[in-house]
């Protein structure tokens, strides 16, 4: 394990993306988002996803020059076809467009179909909150989780994001509908560690905190058991309904990697047209303070609100450097080499 500065990581990832065929502008945007994700401690969807993204590009599964095209406009709701373009740039476009609509109407919704993996879903909540806007976003995925009571995969883990703006630090939730996302399993396995709590079943149906056997069986545990399973199903159906796009069972037929053909929803709200900026800040401050006033449970030293640890990790990593797995970093360095194309 070593630490890499933000600029070195971003420039290396950018070069890897340029070598893969992205133009300089899109490579820069994507490298920024991947590096921000790792800087915030979400290594699984930052540096660790670079090689997979490059592989998808090389296989022709991602249309690196495509832009979303407008399918339908219904006032505060717009539907776009992502043309299977780059998931990050598509999702940033959708967030920005929903933000513009929200500033006009108080609420803006962009439904995006036929897109690709958006990487770290929380990115789009953070981007909205940084503009003083609130957001609810989610995506469906290919099946990678069994329904509650089942063995084989029929559900996506369908990441869900909510963000509330706050001047002293927004409240941002970024969660999959599985107890642990596959990226978290990978990161834990690479560290040679166990999960804090059981995260799924091994091939023999035994609940385990060992990440490797869960990755092999693909029997990840829905968060909240039957509740997470049910929410995953409805997030899938609602994403497909609003975007007139593919549900999980349709994505499974595409067979072009993780999330290719996904349907995504970006709902953005302008608090200045609701309770106002002052109310929003005072309310969000009170929520954060009330949570922070909790008495820590046994073995715990502090209680955190969603998004707080990411900011703490970000500040540490900007000073000390971003931790990287040596094998993952070596792979990215090879992709960034001048003769890599």
């Amino acid at each position: 394990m070593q630490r890499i500065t933000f600029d070195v990581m971003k420039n290396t990832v950018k070069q890897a993306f340029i070598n893969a065929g992205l133009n300089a502008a899109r490579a820069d945007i994507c490298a920024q988002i991947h590096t921000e994700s790792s800087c915030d401690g979400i290594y699984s969807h930052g540096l660790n996803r670079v090689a997979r993204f490059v592989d998808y590009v090389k296989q022709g599964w991602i249309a690196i020059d495509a832009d979303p095209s407008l399918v339908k406009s219904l006032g505060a709701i717009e539907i776009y076809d992502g043309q299977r373009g780059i998931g990050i740039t598509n999702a940033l476009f959708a967030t920005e467009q929903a933000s513009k609509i929200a500033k006009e109407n108080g609420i803006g919704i962009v439904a995006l179909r036929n897109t690709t993996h958006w990487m770290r879903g929380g990115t789009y909540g953070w981007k909205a909150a940084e503009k003083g806007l609130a957001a609810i976003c989610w995506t469906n995925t290919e099946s990678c989780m069994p329904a509650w009571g089942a063995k084989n995969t029929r559900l996506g883990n369908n990441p869900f994001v909510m963000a509330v703006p706050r001047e002293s630090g927004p409240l941002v939730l970024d969660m999959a509908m599985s107890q642990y996302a596959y990226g978290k399993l990978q990161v834990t396995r690479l560290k040679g560690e166990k999960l804090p709590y059981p995260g799924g079943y091994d091939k023999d149906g035994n609940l385990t905190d060992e990440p490797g056997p869960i990755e092999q069986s693909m029997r990840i545990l829905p968060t909240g058991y039957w509740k997470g399973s049910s929410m995953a199903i409805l997030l899938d159906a609602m994403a497909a309904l609003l975007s007139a796009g593919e549900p999980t069972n349709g994505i499974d037929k595409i067979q072009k990697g993780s999330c290719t053909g996904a349907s995504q929803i970006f709902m953005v709200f302008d608090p200045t047209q609701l309770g106002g900026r002052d109310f929003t800040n005072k309310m969000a401050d009170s929520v954060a303070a009330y949570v922070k006033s909790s008495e820590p449970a046994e073995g715990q030293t502090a209680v955190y609100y969603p998004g707080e640890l990411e900011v703490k990790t970000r500040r540490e990593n900007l000073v000390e450097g971003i931790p990287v797995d040596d094998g993952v970093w070596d792979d990215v360095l090879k992709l960034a080499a001048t003769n890599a194309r």
Side-chain angles (χ1 to χ4, degrees), residues 236-300:
D236 175 37
M238 190 64 76
L241 182 150
L242 293 175
S243 67
E246 294 287 359
T248 289
N249 61 73
I251 299 171
D252 281 351
K253 297 173 184 176
I254 294 172
Q255 295 290 305
K256 291 185 177 180
S258 176
C259 288
T260 300
S263 303
Q264 299 173 349
I265 307 301
F266 304 81
M267 303 174 65
V268 177
F269 309 85
D270 183 3
T272 64
Q273 299 183 56
L274 302 173
R277 183 174 288 106
D278 289 343
F279 167 81
T280 300
N281 272 311
K282 289 178 182 177
M283 177 279 298
D285 281 344
S286 73
V287 170
Y290 202 51
V291 171
K292 297 293 291 179
S293 70
S294 302
E295 179 181 355
E298 294 80 4
Q300 303 297 316

Side-chain angles (χ1 to χ4, degrees), residues 13-289:
V13 173
K14 178 179 178 179
Q15 188 59 54
F17 289 160
I18 289 173
N19 288 351
L22 275 66
N23 64 39
R26 294 192 178 198
D28 187 81
I29 291 169
C30 292
Q32 178 72 25
I33 298 304
H34 278 268
T35 307
E36 286 179 0
S37 299
S38 275
C39 190
D40 284 5
I42 316 300
Y43 311 110
S44 60
H45 288 67
L47 189 73
N48 293 23
R49 288 271 175 163
V50 170
R52 188 189 300 187
F53 173 79
V54 169
D55 177 56
Y56 287 8
V57 170
K58 289 181 176 178
Q59 295 200 58
W61 295 348
I62 298 173
I64 57 176
D65 296 319
D67 292 310
S69 62
L70 182 64
V71 176
K72 186 177 293 186
S73 178
L74 299 169
I77 303 176
E78 292 182 352
I79 299 175
Y80 287 83
D81 188 310
Q83 308 288 338
R84 297 194 189 169
I86 298 170
I88 286 176
T89 55
N90 276 356
L92 287 172
F93 166 83
T95 304
E96 181 64 28
Q97 187 62 20
S99 299
K100 289 179 182 177
I101 300 170
K103 289 177 180 177
E104 296 174 0
N105 300 283
I107 179 174
I109 302 174
V110 168
L112 179 65
R113 71 189 189 206
N114 195 31
T115 187
T116 61
H117 203 305
W118 66 0
M119 301 301 162
R120 175 196 180 191
T123 292
Y124 314 107
W126 284 100
K127 296 302 180 186
E130 287 165 3
K131 297 179 181 179
L133 302 169
I136 300 174
C137 312
W138 73 94
T139 181
N140 61 8
T141 76
E142 76 286 356
S143 63
C144 58
M145 178 172 70
W148 181 249
K151 281 186 176 182
N152 55 333
T153 58
R154 286 293 182 268
L155 310 184
N157 58 1
N158 301 344
F160 180 73
V161 177
M162 286 198 294
V164 171
R166 175 171 167 258
E167 288 183 2
S168 54
L171 313 179
V172 182
L173 169 71
D174 178 8
M175 62 175 288
M177 290 300 110
S178 53
Q179 184 66 38
Y180 299 103
Y182 278 97
K184 176 66 174 178
L185 297 180
Q186 179 202 38
V187 168
T188 305
R189 172 173 50 78
L190 289 173
K191 290 181 179 179
E193 297 177 354
K194 292 185 177 182
L195 299 165
Y197 304 95
Y201 302 89
D202 63 20
K203 62 181 178 59
D204 298 318
N206 300 307
L207 199 61
T208 180
D209 57 5
E210 293 279 359
I214 301 170
E215 290 175 296
Q216 293 169 9
S217 72
M218 295 191 71
R219 293 183 64 182
I220 53 176
L221 194 66
T223 184
Y225 304 121
W226 53 88
K227 296 180 181 179
S229 174
S230 297
M231 193 164 180
I233 294 168
L234 267 296
L235 286 173
D236 175 37
M238 190 64 76
L241 182 150
L242 293 175
S243 67
E246 294 287 359
T248 289
N249 61 73
I251 299 171
D252 281 351
K253 297 173 184 176
I254 294 172
Q255 295 290 305
K256 291 185 177 180
S258 176
C259 288
T260 300
S263 303
Q264 299 173 349
I265 307 301
F266 304 81
M267 303 174 65
V268 177
F269 309 85
D270 183 3
T272 64
Q273 299 183 56
L274 302 173
R277 183 174 288 106
D278 289 343
F279 167 81
T280 300
N281 272 311
K282 289 178 182 177
M283 177 279 298
D285 281 344
S286 73
V287 170

